[in-house]
Amino acid sequence: MSFDRLFPVLFGAILLFAPVQSCVAASVDEDSADHSGKTGNVVATGDFNGDGIADIIRAGPHVLDVLLGKSDGAFRHGSSYPLTGEAPRALVVRDFNGDGNLDVIVGDEGGTIFEFAGDGQGGLTAARDVAVVGSVVSIAAGVFTQDHRLDLIVSDESSNSAIVLLGAGDGTFRQIWSFQLPQIGKEYRLAAVDFNRDGIADIVITSDDDEGNYEVMLGNGNGTFTYAPQLSHLRDPNSYCPT
């Protein structure tokens, strides 16, 4: 597939890193954020009560709030759940346990990744830990293997690596692979999209400090990825060669 045909898909994936994002991922609300990640809210959207109207999930210091959408565009407070650990940094909304209801995964600055299972009526179960890394910056969800179950990839600032967690389809995950991110000391954000339309999610990696640079890695179908220089944009192509 030519780059000209792939460019709109790449551009759409990069838009996932905008300040407020869609139901598959989210980032810090820039209006209230300290870029150290110690304050501010992380937000995402999804229909948590099955009424066909988008709701908001908001993770702030020590609390996760569900705001239910109304038909007039307004929102009402639905429920709140305690968040233990450090400040939340990343939020992903998908059906991770296969029951047809949206679930929520939160990653925090201390490296803990929590999962809240949705009940389909706007409520969530109590949080449980699904993984612990060094310090979460970004999380993306996609199908990375041939089993077609949702998996996760986590940007970990402490180890300067991207960590792949394969999903079992029941809301549990196991770590199977990791690779180094471009430069130590930067915060890298991830999005998962099937760029080459082979049924396996690929990833794009970028940083707020990289001024338009991004790297694309194509999924191999077994939870690993291969760097795709022809789809990436680097000011210095020799500065980074992922393995």
Side-chain angles (χ1 to χ4, degrees):
M1 184 179 295
S2 70
F3 178 79
D4 289 343
R5 294 183 64 187
L6 275 173
F7 181 77
V9 182
L10 283 167
F11 182 74
I14 292 168
L15 287 179
L16 287 175
F17 302 109
V20 179
Q21 300 178 342
S22 69
C23 65
V24 297
S27 64
V28 175
D29 178 356
E30 300 291 344
D31 291 334
S32 60
D34 172 346
H35 289 279
S36 68
K38 298 183 186 302
T39 61
N41 295 319
V42 188
V43 298
T45 62
D47 183 4
F48 291 96
N49 58 358
D51 64 356
I53 300 172
D55 310 309
I56 291 175
I57 191 85
R58 179 180 62 198
H62 309 301
V63 66
L64 182 73
D65 293 313
V66 179
L67 307 176
L68 298 177
K70 300 166 62 175
S71 59
D72 61 0
F75 294 87
R76 63 179 178 86
H77 184 267
S79 51
S80 296
Y81 304 88
L83 284 176
T84 58
E86 300 187 30
R89 301 290 302 278
L91 188 61
V92 184
V93 175
R94 298 288 286 272
D95 177 12
F96 294 106
N97 59 10
D99 65 355
N101 302 321
L102 290 180
D103 310 310
V104 179
I105 283 182
V106 183
D108 73 19
E109 191 173 32
T112 303
I113 301 172
F114 304 95
E115 182 176 24
F116 296 80
D119 63 9
Q121 300 178 9
L124 302 172
T125 63
R128 64 187 182 95
D129 297 359
V130 297
V132 178
V133 299
S135 181
V136 174
V137 172
S138 174
I139 303 175
V143 173
F144 301 147
T145 70
Q146 300 291 345
D147 66 9
H148 301 295
R149 296 167 178 164
L150 277 173
D151 309 306
L152 299 174
I153 186 165
V154 181
S155 172
D156 178 13
E157 183 179 11
S158 293
S159 64
N160 190 52
S161 64
I163 299 169
V164 178
L165 304 172
L166 292 189
D170 59 0
T172 62
F173 298 86
R174 61 184 176 91
Q175 180 178 338
I176 60 104
W177 191 61
S178 66
F179 60 89
Q180 289 296 296
L181 292 168
Q183 295 182 34
I184 295 174
K186 290 187 176 183
E187 295 185 352
Y188 287 94
R189 317 217 176 258
L190 310 172
V193 180
D194 183 6
F195 295 123
N196 57 1
R197 301 179 185 177
D198 63 354
I200 300 297
D202 313 303
I203 58 171
V204 59
I205 305 165
T206 191
S207 168
D208 294 341
D209 301 325
D210 274 350
E211 298 180 358
N213 282 353
Y214 55 86
E215 294 92 44
V216 173
M217 299 187 72
L218 298 179
N220 296 320
N222 61 357
T224 67
F225 298 85
T226 299
Y227 180 49
Q230 73 278 14
L231 301 179
S232 303
H233 179 269
L234 297 172
R235 286 175 296 172
D236 179 3
N238 298 315
S239 66
Y240 175 47
C241 184
T243 57

